Amino acid sequence: MRKKQIGQKVAVALFAAMLALSGCSKPVDSPKQDPGAQSSPGAKTEGQPSGGASNLSIFWWGSDSRHEATQKVLDLYSQDTGVTFDVEFTGWDGYWQKLPVLAASKEVPDVLQMDAAYIEQYVDNGTLADLSPYIDLAEFVGEDEKQNYLIDGKLYGIPLSRNGQGVVFSKTRLAQLGIEEPKNGWTWEEMIAWGREAKKKCPDGVYPLWDMCNWYQYYQEYVQSHGGEKTLAGNEFNFNKETYKEYMQLYLDLVEEGVCPPPEVILSFVEYDPMNDYFLNGKVLTRSISVGSVMTIGKMLPDDELGGVCLPQGEGGSGWVQSTIFFSVSAQSEHIQEAADFIKWFLSDVEAGKILKTTRGLPLSDEVYGSIEPDLDTYEKLNMMLYKIITADEVNPTPYWSDVPPAFSTWNTEFKSTGEAVMIGDMSVEDAAEYLYSLGAEAAAEAK
């Protein structure tokens, strides 16, 4: 079978975009404070960086609301400490086009936002500083969760929020159909049984359970929950053909039964599109979703009361629970201590938290969340609702293992297209498993 060359075309386009972006982006300074209002030399006000740096550079991605709130918080820090900032921000796509250029030229800002999908890549290429000597994560998270953030025993990213993956459903819709709500802590067997019972009360064209079996993230969650290995671990390839065949056949059978939607519904899915997001348009009664995203669903269904449960559990646990967004510090920075001081303040300062609210998800600090909770609207509170559900006593959460190392970027693309081929009957489950195994093994060999 001829392998598609999607990855090569993407790489060429990405390189061209990098070159263009590297010449057109310009940092913006935070307003500088009146020198007369700053502390005298050697004095240190509360929250001021211990090394006395007068300027830090910072780079992040996000929405307009995140940009505006972060700039206000930087101004607050400047007022409190005298430290000013060279600021640069962009959208998600622009960020990951620009950052490789900065890393290659060793011009990465002092403080940069980082994502779980990419952090190991930037650790491997020496871009990020180890922050273990500067920040004790035990101030913010439990010991078990702290271990999830360590890479080879070192701390390269400071989590900025609480996150995780669960399942959302509309209490309103289920009540209208006379369907009992799913129970939190459900197993795979219990989820399937619920779906089959719910199907009996669904009208034509409505399906109880979601299906994204063509996405690697959902396959990895299935593997984890059954006690399997991390499939893509650095340059190691731990793909289990038998597990993949079991996973795909499960969903093919559920589609055949009408418990999961047919290929035409799955393949037309467009997230948050009222016409093509199968949860928003009412074709599917459940949907896997992250803590940081459930608020968006709530706003788009203002007449529905939403509920949630954890992802189905197996011997290995349920879905992942941890932050996937971080602040990191450049290994080339001359102000690592000062940058670390700023990050600690950013996480723990109540006034800063009141400005940021949930622009980066649920605050990590209980004190900060408690200070903003009274001012959150109904939709913003949905994030905490889902977080409490997926961290309840009856749930065994797992770490985030769905990142895709650079060596397997093409394999990840092929995973999706191969899954789609299986869905529509163009490829057998057995052939798909063999193809993905050989492609991944080849990528792993080339990476070593």
Side-chain angles (χ1 to χ4, degrees):
M1 182 178 296
R2 185 172 65 87
K3 298 173 186 173
K4 301 181 181 69
Q5 300 301 312
I6 296 173
Q8 294 179 7
K9 294 178 182 178
V10 171
V12 171
L14 180 58
F15 181 69
M18 289 176 184
L19 292 178
L21 281 167
S22 64
C24 67
S25 181
K26 182 180 179 181
V28 179
D29 288 344
S30 291
K32 294 189 180 343
Q33 307 302 311
D34 179 353
Q38 296 180 13
S39 303
S40 59
K44 181 177 183 295
T45 60
E46 184 178 355
Q48 182 176 356
S50 58
S54 60
N55 182 271
L56 292 171
S57 54
I58 183 170
F59 187 27
W60 72 86
W61 75 82
S63 62
D64 288 343
S65 59
R66 179 182 292 178
H67 299 335
E68 293 168 6
T70 304
Q71 184 64 70
K72 289 178 182 178
V73 166
L74 298 183
D75 292 344
L76 178 62
Y77 193 72
S78 295
Q79 293 168 11
D80 289 348
T81 67
V83 173
T84 56
F85 293 87
D86 290 334
V87 171
E88 188 170 2
F89 54 81
T90 184
W92 170 267
D93 291 339
Y95 189 90
W96 298 110
Q97 291 168 353
K98 182 69 181 287
L99 188 57
V101 177
L102 296 175
S105 59
K106 299 192 183 300
E107 295 180 352
V108 174
D110 296 306
V111 180
L112 64 154
Q113 203 164 276
M114 186 50 60
D115 187 86
Y118 294 97
I119 190 166
E120 291 198 29
Q121 174 183 342
Y122 285 91
V123 169
D124 290 344
N125 66 19
T127 297
L128 307 182
D130 175 19
L131 298 177
S132 302
Y134 306 96
I135 297 179
D136 181 6
L137 267 191
E139 297 178 25
F140 302 102
V141 301
E143 185 61 33
D144 287 346
E145 185 175 350
K146 175 182 173 181
Q147 295 303 313
N148 293 342
Y149 301 123
L150 300 181
I151 299 175
D152 296 329
K154 297 181 179 180
L155 182 63
Y156 295 97
I158 307 303
L160 297 180
S161 61
R162 313 179 199 197
N163 204 357
Q165 194 82 5
V167 177
V168 67
F169 59 86
S170 168
K171 291 173 173 281
T172 307
R173 290 179 190 168
L174 294 188
Q176 290 171 346
L177 294 171
I179 296 173
E180 184 179 355
E181 294 178 11
K183 298 293 190 297
N184 197 32
W186 61 355
T187 64
W188 281 91
E189 293 77 14
E190 289 168 342
M191 182 192 76
I192 294 167
W194 179 88
R196 286 171 173 160
E197 283 299 310
K199 180 59 183 175
K200 298 175 182 178
K201 298 183 178 181
C202 287
D204 290 344
V206 175
Y207 310 91
L209 295 177
W210 74 102
D211 177 7
M212 297 291 277
C213 64
N214 57 321
W215 288 86
Y216 166 66
Q217 173 185 332
Y218 296 99
Y219 167 71
Q220 178 57 54
E221 288 170 352
Y222 179 85
V223 171
Q224 263 179 280
S225 69
H226 286 79
E229 295 181 278
K230 185 176 184 180
T231 304
L232 308 177
N235 292 331
E236 297 294 324
F237 185 61
N238 301 313
F239 182 75
N240 186 301
K241 289 185 286 186
E242 294 305 313
T243 301
Y244 177 80
K245 288 189 283 188
E246 175 186 281
Y247 168 77
M248 291 299 293
Q249 194 60 54
L250 168 65
Y251 278 100
L252 289 174
D253 291 345
L254 291 174
V255 169
E256 182 69 22
E257 295 178 39
V259 175
C260 287
E264 59 268 25
V265 175
I266 300 168
L267 299 180
S268 63
F269 178 85
V270 179
E271 190 170 43
Y272 305 140
D273 182 326
M275 298 297 293
N276 293 305
D277 183 315
Y278 52 51
F279 183 76
L280 292 178
N281 65 24
K283 291 182 179 179
V284 180
L285 299 179
T286 55
R287 183 188 187 297
S288 178
I289 197 165
S290 70
V291 167
S293 302
V294 67
M295 173 179 68
T296 303
I297 293 291
K299 288 181 176 179
M300 299 185 76
L301 295 173
D303 297 328
D304 287 31
E305 180 186 359
L306 299 185
V309 289
C310 67
L311 286 171
Q313 300 193 100
E315 61 183 285
S318 178
W320 60 270
V321 174
Q322 67 173 69
S323 179
T324 54
I325 183 173
F326 309 89
F327 267 156
S328 295
V329 175
S330 169
Q332 306 298 319
S333 174
E334 297 179 357
H335 308 295
I336 295 177
Q337 178 67 66
E338 294 86 344
D341 289 343
F342 162 71
I343 294 171
K344 288 175 65 176
W345 175 89
F346 189 92
L347 289 177
S348 59
D349 187 82
V350 170
E351 292 306 311
K354 289 179 179 179
I355 296 171
L356 292 166
K357 291 188 175 180
T358 59
T359 56
R360 282 181 176 81
L362 293 173
L364 207 62
S365 163
D366 289 335
E367 182 182 7
V368 171
Y369 182 78
S371 73
I372 68 171
E373 185 176 26
D375 298 324
L376 298 179
D377 62 30
T378 300
Y379 307 116
E380 290 171 324
K381 291 179 180 179
L382 288 173
N383 292 356
M384 180 57 82
M385 174 207 75
L386 187 59
Y387 184 80
K388 288 181 177 179
I389 286 170
I390 64 176
T391 56
D393 289 343
E394 63 269 26
V395 180
N396 179 23
T398 55
Y400 180 82
W401 278 4
S402 298
D403 55 296
V404 178
F408 299 105
S409 58
T410 297
W411 184 87
N412 182 50
T413 301
E414 290 297 298
F415 187 98
K416 187 173 188 297
S417 60
T418 301
E420 291 170 357
V422 173
M423 284 181 183
I424 62 176
D426 282 357
M427 184 184 291
S428 70
V429 173
E430 291 75 15
D431 286 347
E434 291 295 337
Y435 174 60
L436 290 173
Y437 180 81
S438 62
L439 184 64
E442 181 181 321
E446 291 175 355
K448 291 181 179 178

